[in-house]
């Protein structure tokens, strides 16, 4: 079992930056690929970014490519999402997710575990 807890959300002006964190716990976390998703009001949850277990492979949605950076520190059991050049359309609840596969062969994450989400609001 893996437990995920996000933090770092908040209110920021357009053009600003935020860094989200996702802390993982549970003895089976080792080897897991991870990712970020988001859900805006009235919309379906959508993929944002994924990262493999080793951290050497990443994938991004076109809407955030070049503005967001996903990373992880396995020694701290923590994943990050550095968000820059934020836009009002980035406003959403951001969720971290974990996949028991390490995602070294494919970046198509299939979440088995979800965090509770953290709100990001970008004002214009």
């Amino acid at each position: 079992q893996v437990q995920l807890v996000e933090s770092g959300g908040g209110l920021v002006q357009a053009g600003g930056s935020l860094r989200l964190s996702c802390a993982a716990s549970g003895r089976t976390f080792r080897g897991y690929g991870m990712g970020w998703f988001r859900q805006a009001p009235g919309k379906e949850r959508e993929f944002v970014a994924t990262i493999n277990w080793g951290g050497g492979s990443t994938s991004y949605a076109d809407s955030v490519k070049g503005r967001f950076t996903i990373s992880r520190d396995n020694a701290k059991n923590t994943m990050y999402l550095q968000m820059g050049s934020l836009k009002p359309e980035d406003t959403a609840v951001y969720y971290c997710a974990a996949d028991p596969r390490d995602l070294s062969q494919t970046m198509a994450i299939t979440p088995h575990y979800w965090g509770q989400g953290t709100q990001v609001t970008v004002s214009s």
Side-chain angles (χ1 to χ4, degrees):
Q1 191 75 5
V2 174
Q3 294 80 42
L4 304 173
V5 179
E6 302 96 334
S7 61
L11 174 63
V12 63
Q13 289 188 333
S17 300
L18 276 177
R19 189 177 80 157
L20 305 183
S21 298
C22 173
S25 61
R27 62 183 179 88
T28 60
F29 173 71
R30 183 173 180 79
Y32 277 52
M34 298 189 72
W36 290 97
F37 290 74
R38 67 186 182 186
Q39 187 167 16
K43 295 187 177 181
E44 293 188 355
R45 192 171 298 189
E46 64 176 5
F47 162 77
V48 175
T50 54
I51 187 167
N52 71 333
W53 162 248
S57 295
T58 58
S59 177
Y60 297 91
D62 288 343
S63 58
V64 306
K65 202 171 293 184
R67 299 188 298 121
F68 291 10
T69 302
I70 189 172
S71 62
R72 65 192 296 168
D73 184 341
N74 290 337
K76 297 181 178 179
N77 284 354
T78 303
M79 176 181 65
Y80 305 97
L81 186 68
Q82 180 68 47
M83 304 186 294
S85 301
L86 283 162
K87 306 174 182 180
E89 51 263 45
D90 294 318
T91 294
V93 177
Y94 283 71
Y95 298 90
C96 68
D99 184 329
R101 302 171 302 161
D102 68 9
L103 299 184
S104 294
Q105 299 302 316
T106 174
M107 297 306 293
I109 186 171
T110 301
H112 285 227
Y113 303 99
W114 293 94
Q116 83 290 347
T118 186
Q119 177 70 47
V120 172
T121 302
V122 184
S123 63
S124 57

